[in-house]
PDB file of all heavy atoms in Angstrom:
ATOM      1  N   GLN E  11     -15.229  19.720 116.599  1.00 70.00           N
ATOM      2  CA  GLN E  11     -16.383  18.895 116.973  1.00 70.00           C
ATOM      3  C   GLN E  11     -15.986  17.967 118.118  1.00 70.00           C
ATOM      4  O   GLN E  11     -14.854  17.497 118.179  1.00 70.00           O
ATOM      5  CB  GLN E  11     -16.847  18.064 115.780  1.00 70.00           C
ATOM      6  CG  GLN E  11     -17.293  18.895 114.605  1.00 70.00           C
ATOM      7  CD  GLN E  11     -18.577  19.641 114.910  1.00 70.00           C
ATOM      8  OE1 GLN E  11     -19.472  19.107 115.531  1.00 70.00           O
ATOM      9  NE2 GLN E  11     -18.652  20.888 114.486  1.00 70.00           N
ATOM     10  N   GLN E  12     -16.940  17.707 118.989  1.00 70.00           N
ATOM     11  CA  GLN E  12     -16.724  16.735 120.045  1.00 70.00           C
ATOM     12  C   GLN E  12     -16.863  15.334 119.463  1.00 70.00           C
ATOM     13  O   GLN E  12     -17.718  15.099 118.609  1.00 70.00           O
ATOM     14  CB  GLN E  12     -17.758  16.909 121.156  1.00 70.00           C
ATOM     15  CG  GLN E  12     -17.697  18.190 121.888  1.00 70.00           C
ATOM     16  CD  GLN E  12     -18.829  18.286 122.911  1.00 70.00           C
ATOM     17  OE1 GLN E  12     -19.753  17.491 122.890  1.00 70.00           O
ATOM     18  NE2 GLN E  12     -18.734  19.266 123.772  1.00 70.00           N
ATOM     19  N   ALA E  13     -16.019  14.445 119.910  1.00 75.00           N
ATOM     20  CA  ALA E  13     -16.132  13.060 119.466  1.00 75.00           C
ATOM     21  C   ALA E  13     -17.341  12.407 120.139  1.00 75.00           C
ATOM     22  O   ALA E  13     -17.658  12.701 121.291  1.00 75.00           O
ATOM     23  CB  ALA E  13     -14.868  12.290 119.803  1.00 75.00           C
ATOM     24  N   ALA E  14     -18.030  11.562 119.414  1.00 77.00           N
ATOM     25  CA  ALA E  14     -19.169  10.862 119.971  1.00 77.00           C
ATOM     26  C   ALA E  14     -18.680   9.867 121.020  1.00 77.00           C
ATOM     27  O   ALA E  14     -17.707   9.160 120.812  1.00 77.00           O
ATOM     28  CB  ALA E  14     -19.937  10.137 118.877  1.00 77.00           C
ATOM     29  N   LYS E  15     -19.385   9.815 122.140  1.00 87.00           N
ATOM     30  CA  LYS E  15     -18.999   8.898 123.224  1.00 87.00           C
ATOM     31  C   LYS E  15     -20.018   7.771 123.290  1.00 87.00           C
ATOM     32  O   LYS E  15     -21.205   7.977 123.087  1.00 87.00           O
ATOM     33  CB  LYS E  15     -18.962   9.656 124.544  1.00 87.00           C
ATOM     34  CG  LYS E  15     -17.890  10.721 124.546  1.00 87.00           C
ATOM     35  CD  LYS E  15     -17.861  11.484 125.848  1.00 87.00           C
ATOM     36  CE  LYS E  15     -16.790  12.552 125.785  1.00 87.00           C
ATOM     37  NZ  LYS E  15     -16.807  13.446 126.911  1.00 87.00           N
ATOM     38  N   PRO E  16     -19.560   6.562 123.618  1.00 89.00           N
ATOM     39  CA  PRO E  16     -20.492   5.435 123.696  1.00 89.00           C
ATOM     40  C   PRO E  16     -21.448   5.569 124.871  1.00 89.00           C
ATOM     41  O   PRO E  16     -21.184   6.240 125.845  1.00 89.00           O
ATOM     42  CB  PRO E  16     -19.578   4.230 123.854  1.00 89.00           C
ATOM     43  CG  PRO E  16     -18.281   4.760 124.323  1.00 89.00           C
ATOM     44  CD  PRO E  16     -18.190   6.184 123.870  1.00 89.00           C
ATOM     45  N   CYS E  17     -22.601   4.901 124.759  1.00 91.00           N
ATOM     46  CA  CYS E  17     -23.612   4.805 125.817  1.00 91.00           C
ATOM     47  C   CYS E  17     -23.778   3.345 126.173  1.00 91.00           C
ATOM     48  O   CYS E  17     -24.754   2.700 125.776  1.00 91.00           O
ATOM     49  CB  CYS E  17     -24.957   5.359 125.348  1.00 91.00           C
ATOM     50  SG  CYS E  17     -25.041   7.116 125.145  1.00 91.00           S
ATOM     51  N   PRO E  18     -22.863   2.754 126.912  1.00 88.00           N
ATOM     52  CA  PRO E  18     -22.945   1.320 127.173  1.00 88.00           C
ATOM     53  C   PRO E  18     -24.178   0.896 127.979  1.00 88.00           C
ATOM     54  O   PRO E  18     -24.591  -0.244 127.906  1.00 88.00           O
ATOM     55  CB  PRO E  18     -21.643   1.022 127.946  1.00 88.00           C
ATOM     56  CG  PRO E  18     -21.220   2.325 128.504  1.00 88.00           C
ATOM     57  CD  PRO E  18     -21.725   3.393 127.565  1.00 88.00           C
ATOM     58  N   ARG E  19     -24.794   1.808 128.719  1.00 89.00           N
ATOM     59  CA  ARG E  19     -25.957   1.421 129.524  1.00 89.00           C
ATOM     60  C   ARG E  19     -27.162   1.033 128.667  1.00 89.00           C
ATOM     61  O   ARG E  19     -28.084   0.380 129.117  1.00 89.00           O
ATOM     62  CB  ARG E  19     -26.345   2.536 130.505  1.00 89.00           C
ATOM     63  CG  ARG E  19     -26.962   3.739 129.862  1.00 89.00           C
ATOM     64  CD  ARG E  19     -27.392   4.746 130.930  1.00 89.00           C
ATOM     65  NE  ARG E  19     -28.007   5.897 130.309  1.00 89.00           N
ATOM     66  CZ  ARG E  19     -27.417   7.060 130.161  1.00 89.00           C
ATOM     67  NH1 ARG E  19     -26.191   7.236 130.583  1.00 89.00           N
ATOM     68  NH2 ARG E  19     -28.047   8.045 129.569  1.00 89.00           N
ATOM     69  N   HIS E  20     -27.168   1.470 127.393  1.00 88.00           N
ATOM     70  CA  HIS E  20     -28.282   1.140 126.487  1.00 88.00           C
ATOM     71  C   HIS E  20     -27.966  -0.047 125.588  1.00 88.00           C
ATOM     72  O   HIS E  20     -28.846  -0.510 124.860  1.00 88.00           O
ATOM     73  CB  HIS E  20     -28.660   2.365 125.655  1.00 88.00           C
ATOM     74  CG  HIS E  20     -29.230   3.469 126.461  1.00 88.00           C
ATOM     75  ND1 HIS E  20     -30.406   3.347 127.151  1.00 88.00           N
ATOM     76  CD2 HIS E  20     -28.791   4.714 126.695  1.00 88.00           C
ATOM     77  CE1 HIS E  20     -30.678   4.490 127.783  1.00 88.00           C
ATOM     78  NE2 HIS E  20     -29.699   5.325 127.527  1.00 88.00           N
ATOM     79  N   GLY E  21     -26.740  -0.486 125.574  1.00 89.00           N
ATOM     80  CA  GLY E  21     -26.384  -1.632 124.742  1.00 89.00           C
ATOM     81  C   GLY E  21     -25.364  -1.290 123.679  1.00 89.00           C
ATOM     82  O   GLY E  21     -24.944  -0.128 123.523  1.00 89.00           O
ATOM     83  N   SER E  22     -25.019  -2.264 122.919  1.00 91.00           N
ATOM     84  CA  SER E  22     -24.017  -2.131 121.872  1.00 91.00           C
ATOM     85  C   SER E  22     -24.491  -1.187 120.770  1.00 91.00           C
ATOM     86  O   SER E  22     -25.646  -1.247 120.347  1.00 91.00           O
ATOM     87  CB  SER E  22     -23.716  -3.503 121.287  1.00 91.00           C
ATOM     88  OG  SER E  22     -22.816  -3.389 120.210  1.00 91.00           O
ATOM     89  N   GLY E  23     -23.605  -0.324 120.288  1.00 92.00           N
ATOM     90  CA  GLY E  23     -23.894   0.539 119.138  1.00 92.00           C
ATOM     91  C   GLY E  23     -24.495   1.883 119.469  1.00 92.00           C
ATOM     92  O   GLY E  23     -24.618   2.724 118.595  1.00 92.00           O
ATOM     93  N   PHE E  24     -24.841   2.151 120.709  1.00 95.00           N
ATOM     94  CA  PHE E  24     -25.395   3.443 121.066  1.00 95.00           C
ATOM     95  C   PHE E  24     -24.288   4.445 121.335  1.00 95.00           C
ATOM     96  O   PHE E  24     -23.267   4.110 121.953  1.00 95.00           O
ATOM     97  CB  PHE E  24     -26.267   3.344 122.330  1.00 95.00           C
ATOM     98  CG  PHE E  24     -27.645   2.839 122.063  1.00 95.00           C
ATOM     99  CD1 PHE E  24     -27.925   1.492 122.120  1.00 95.00           C
ATOM    100  CD2 PHE E  24     -28.667   3.713 121.750  1.00 95.00           C
ATOM    101  CE1 PHE E  24     -29.192   1.010 121.882  1.00 95.00           C
ATOM    102  CE2 PHE E  24     -29.942   3.246 121.507  1.00 95.00           C
ATOM    103  CZ  PHE E  24     -30.204   1.886 121.572  1.00 95.00           C
ATOM    104  N   ILE E  25     -24.470   5.668 120.853  1.00 94.00           N
ATOM    105  CA  ILE E  25     -23.547   6.756 121.135  1.00 94.00           C
ATOM    106  C   ILE E  25     -24.344   7.949 121.662  1.00 94.00           C
ATOM    107  O   ILE E  25     -25.516   8.099 121.352  1.00 94.00           O
ATOM    108  CB  ILE E  25     -22.722   7.169 119.906  1.00 94.00           C
ATOM    109  CG1 ILE E  25     -23.627   7.624 118.759  1.00 94.00           C
ATOM    110  CG2 ILE E  25     -21.779   6.061 119.475  1.00 94.00           C
ATOM    111  CD1 ILE E  25     -22.891   8.287 117.621  1.00 94.00           C
ATOM    112  N   ARG E  26     -23.669   8.776 122.460  1.00 93.00           N
ATOM    113  CA  ARG E  26     -24.314   9.964 123.014  1.00 93.00           C
ATOM    114  C   ARG E  26     -24.235  11.096 121.995  1.00 93.00           C
ATOM    115  O   ARG E  26     -23.201  11.348 121.402  1.00 93.00           O
ATOM    116  CB  ARG E  26     -23.644  10.382 124.307  1.00 93.00           C
ATOM    117  CG  ARG E  26     -24.317  11.549 124.999  1.00 93.00           C
ATOM    118  CD  ARG E  26     -23.634  11.950 126.310  1.00 93.00           C
ATOM    119  NE  ARG E  26     -23.246  10.820 127.144  1.00 93.00           N
ATOM    120  CZ  ARG E  26     -24.065  10.111 127.901  1.00 93.00           C
ATOM    121  NH1 ARG E  26     -25.340  10.422 127.937  1.00 93.00           N
ATOM    122  NH2 ARG E  26     -23.619   9.110 128.625  1.00 93.00           N
ATOM    123  N   ILE E  27     -25.360  11.791 121.808  1.00 89.00           N
ATOM    124  CA  ILE E  27     -25.377  12.956 120.926  1.00 89.00           C
ATOM    125  C   ILE E  27     -24.661  14.078 121.672  1.00 89.00           C
ATOM    126  O   ILE E  27     -25.049  14.400 122.806  1.00 89.00           O
ATOM    127  CB  ILE E  27     -26.824  13.367 120.570  1.00 89.00           C
ATOM    128  CG1 ILE E  27     -27.497  12.251 119.775  1.00 89.00           C
ATOM    129  CG2 ILE E  27     -26.837  14.686 119.804  1.00 89.00           C
ATOM    130  CD1 ILE E  27     -28.966  12.484 119.501  1.00 89.00           C
ATOM    131  N   PRO E  28     -23.593  14.653 121.110  1.00 86.00           N
ATOM    132  CA  PRO E  28     -22.832  15.687 121.813  1.00 86.00           C
ATOM    133  C   PRO E  28     -23.711  16.843 122.282  1.00 86.00           C
ATOM    134  O   PRO E  28     -24.578  17.302 121.542  1.00 86.00           O
ATOM    135  CB  PRO E  28     -21.803  16.157 120.771  1.00 86.00           C
ATOM    136  CG  PRO E  28     -21.650  14.996 119.842  1.00 86.00           C
ATOM    137  CD  PRO E  28     -23.015  14.350 119.797  1.00 86.00           C
ATOM    138  N   GLY E  29     -23.521  17.255 123.526  1.00 85.00           N
ATOM    139  CA  GLY E  29     -24.263  18.361 124.097  1.00 85.00           C
ATOM    140  C   GLY E  29     -25.616  17.972 124.673  1.00 85.00           C
ATOM    141  O   GLY E  29     -26.411  18.842 125.014  1.00 85.00           O
ATOM    142  N   SER E  30     -25.907  16.659 124.760  1.00 87.00           N
ATOM    143  CA  SER E  30     -27.197  16.232 125.292  1.00 87.00           C
ATOM    144  C   SER E  30     -27.014  14.946 126.092  1.00 87.00           C
ATOM    145  O   SER E  30     -25.938  14.375 126.130  1.00 87.00           O
ATOM    146  CB  SER E  30     -28.201  16.020 124.164  1.00 87.00           C
ATOM    147  OG  SER E  30     -27.924  14.806 123.502  1.00 87.00           O
ATOM    148  N   GLU E  31     -28.093  14.497 126.707  1.00 88.00           N
ATOM    149  CA  GLU E  31     -28.097  13.231 127.424  1.00 88.00           C
ATOM    150  C   GLU E  31     -28.744  12.127 126.590  1.00 88.00           C
ATOM    151  O   GLU E  31     -28.958  11.030 127.071  1.00 88.00           O
ATOM    152  CB  GLU E  31     -28.863  13.395 128.751  1.00 88.00           C
ATOM    153  CG  GLU E  31     -28.154  14.262 129.751  1.00 88.00           C
ATOM    154  CD  GLU E  31     -26.812  13.661 130.187  1.00 88.00           C
ATOM    155  OE1 GLU E  31     -26.764  12.454 130.460  1.00 88.00           O
ATOM    156  OE2 GLU E  31     -25.827  14.414 130.211  1.00 88.00           O
ATOM    157  N   THR E  32     -29.066  12.438 125.340  1.00 93.00           N
ATOM    158  CA  THR E  32     -29.731  11.481 124.455  1.00 93.00           C
ATOM    159  C   THR E  32     -28.712  10.548 123.809  1.00 93.00           C
ATOM    160  O   THR E  32     -27.656  10.985 123.348  1.00 93.00           O
ATOM    161  CB  THR E  32     -30.521  12.226 123.368  1.00 93.00           C
ATOM    162  OG1 THR E  32     -31.469  13.079 123.998  1.00 93.00           O
ATOM    163  CG2 THR E  32     -31.232  11.274 122.440  1.00 93.00           C
ATOM    164  N   CYS E  33     -29.060   9.268 123.771  1.00 95.00           N
ATOM    165  CA  CYS E  33     -28.232   8.264 123.110  1.00 95.00           C
ATOM    166  C   CYS E  33     -28.968   7.777 121.854  1.00 95.00           C
ATOM    167  O   CYS E  33     -30.180   7.655 121.847  1.00 95.00           O
ATOM    168  CB  CYS E  33     -27.953   7.094 124.049  1.00 95.00           C
ATOM    169  SG  CYS E  33     -27.010   7.569 125.488  1.00 95.00           S
ATOM    170  N   ILE E  34     -28.216   7.485 120.788  1.00 95.00           N
ATOM    171  CA  ILE E  34     -28.803   7.106 119.518  1.00 95.00           C
ATOM    172  C   ILE E  34     -28.043   5.930 118.908  1.00 95.00           C
ATOM    173  O   ILE E  34     -26.837   5.814 119.091  1.00 95.00           O
ATOM    174  CB  ILE E  34     -28.839   8.298 118.528  1.00 95.00           C
ATOM    175  CG1 ILE E  34     -29.617   7.970 117.266  1.00 95.00           C
ATOM    176  CG2 ILE E  34     -27.433   8.781 118.213  1.00 95.00           C
ATOM    177  CD1 ILE E  34     -29.877   9.179 116.389  1.00 95.00           C
ATOM    178  N   ARG E  35     -28.788   5.075 118.213  1.00 96.00           N
ATOM    179  CA  ARG E  35     -28.181   3.997 117.422  1.00 96.00           C
ATOM    180  C   ARG E  35     -28.866   4.006 116.071  1.00 96.00           C
ATOM    181  O   ARG E  35     -30.086   4.025 115.953  1.00 96.00           O
ATOM    182  CB  ARG E  35     -28.389   2.647 118.095  1.00 96.00           C
ATOM    183  CG  ARG E  35     -27.826   1.496 117.257  1.00 96.00           C
ATOM    184  CD  ARG E  35     -27.853   0.176 117.974  1.00 96.00           C
ATOM    185  NE  ARG E  35     -29.201  -0.181 118.370  1.00 96.00           N
ATOM    186  CZ  ARG E  35     -29.497  -1.229 119.113  1.00 96.00           C
ATOM    187  NH1 ARG E  35     -28.538  -2.007 119.577  1.00 96.00           N
ATOM    188  NH2 ARG E  35     -30.739  -1.499 119.424  1.00 96.00           N
ATOM    189  N   ARG E  68     -32.780   7.106 122.922  1.00 95.00           N
ATOM    190  CA  ARG E  68     -33.198   6.936 124.321  1.00 95.00           C
ATOM    191  C   ARG E  68     -32.656   8.085 125.141  1.00 95.00           C
ATOM    192  O   ARG E  68     -31.507   8.496 124.946  1.00 95.00           O
ATOM    193  CB  ARG E  68     -32.679   5.602 124.861  1.00 95.00           C
ATOM    194  CG  ARG E  68     -33.205   4.426 124.070  1.00 95.00           C
ATOM    195  CD  ARG E  68     -32.642   3.126 124.540  1.00 95.00           C
ATOM    196  NE  ARG E  68     -33.041   2.059 123.629  1.00 95.00           N
ATOM    197  CZ  ARG E  68     -32.830   0.802 123.866  1.00 95.00           C
ATOM    198  NH1 ARG E  68     -32.237   0.407 124.969  1.00 95.00           N
ATOM    199  NH2 ARG E  68     -33.215  -0.103 122.990  1.00 95.00           N
TER     200      ARG E  68
END
Side-chain angles (χ1 to χ4, degrees):
Q11 299 292 319
Q12 295 177 347
K15 296 179 181 172
C17 288
R19 72 176 181 257
H20 293 297
S22 176
F24 279 91
I25 59 169
R26 184 179 317 282
I27 297 174
S30 76
E31 291 297 315
T32 302
C33 296
I34 187 169
R35 177 172 59 186
R68 300 177 188 188

